[in-house]
Amino acid sequence: MTITLRPATAGDLMAVGALHQRSRVAAYSSFLPPESLAAPTGEEMGRYWAERWGWERDSHRMTLAERDGELAGFSYVGPDDEGDPATGLLYALHLEPAEQGRGVGRELMVDALAAMRARGWVHAALWVLRENAHARRFYERGGWVETGTEREDLIGSARTPQLRYTREV
């Protein structure tokens, strides 16, 4: 029952998309309406990741976590979305819902911070949905601090306020 981490390949991205969709539904269903989480489907998310990864694979890093050969989660890091050259951004950290609380998220976070350090970034940032109390507690336990910066995005038709968190790498 060990967790292994490895870089993603193009052949992994459909499975990543399906996991991403399952993770979103599990994490957000307590505060977002079902119709907002119905789309994109797992297959559509896989195509999204394949296209995005095709454009960003030289500047971003996707890491997969596997437990006994099965995909358990993934992280995605890259340059800061606000243009700070000293900051890396944790764009995504998603787990298979059954993996919540089993250490996979922590291993992916530690690995993501190490990847940022290796790229020379001294600060790390991320965006988290304001209503996602579980994720916010997870990041706060990991040393992340809310900055007070907020933005709004859409998940389906639902407006989703997001908070920016930072920490040293």
Side-chain angles (χ1 to χ4, degrees):
M1 299 291 276
T2 60
I3 299 167
T4 57
L5 302 180
R6 68 172 179 83
T9 67
D12 295 316
L13 299 174
M14 291 306 289
V16 165
L19 181 147
H20 190 176
Q21 174 59 4
R22 289 188 299 274
S23 173
R24 286 166 38 119
V25 169
Y28 308 158
S29 63
S30 67
F31 57 88
L32 289 179
E35 60 273 10
S36 291
L37 296 171
T41 65
E43 185 174 326
E44 291 166 335
M45 288 294 286
R47 287 194 300 271
Y48 161 82
W49 277 112
E51 182 176 338
R52 183 173 180 177
W53 193 75
W55 289 103
E56 296 178 341
R57 70 175 164 241
D58 293 335
S59 59
H60 291 64
R61 179 175 181 255
M62 181 180 281
T63 300
L64 304 186
E66 296 177 326
R67 184 184 301 277
D68 301 326
E70 297 294 321
L71 183 60
F74 74 95
S75 65
Y76 195 65
V77 300
D80 182 40
D81 63 343
E82 294 189 348
D84 180 357
T87 300
L89 190 70
L90 178 59
Y91 282 86
L93 196 157
H94 285 273
L95 304 179
E96 189 65 58
E99 291 291 343
Q100 289 279 335
R102 299 186 67 199
V104 176
R106 176 159 171 58
E107 287 203 31
L108 283 167
M109 185 184 354
V110 168
D111 177 76
L113 292 169
M116 289 182 199
R117 230 179 350 269
R119 290 187 176 201
W121 293 317
V122 294
H123 307 286
L126 62 82
W127 293 96
V128 64
L129 298 181
R130 183 176 63 200
E131 300 303 318
N132 192 346
H134 179 81
R136 291 178 62 191
R137 283 190 305 273
F138 169 76
Y139 291 123
E140 289 164 3
R141 283 192 309 269
W144 297 82
V145 177
E146 185 182 338
T147 65
T149 302
E150 193 168 327
R151 71 179 183 187
E152 190 172 86
D153 204 354
L154 291 174
I155 294 181
S157 61
R159 295 197 177 280
T160 56
Q162 300 174 0
L163 305 173
R164 188 169 171 98
Y165 278 68
T166 60
R167 63 161 285 162
E168 303 302 307
V169 297

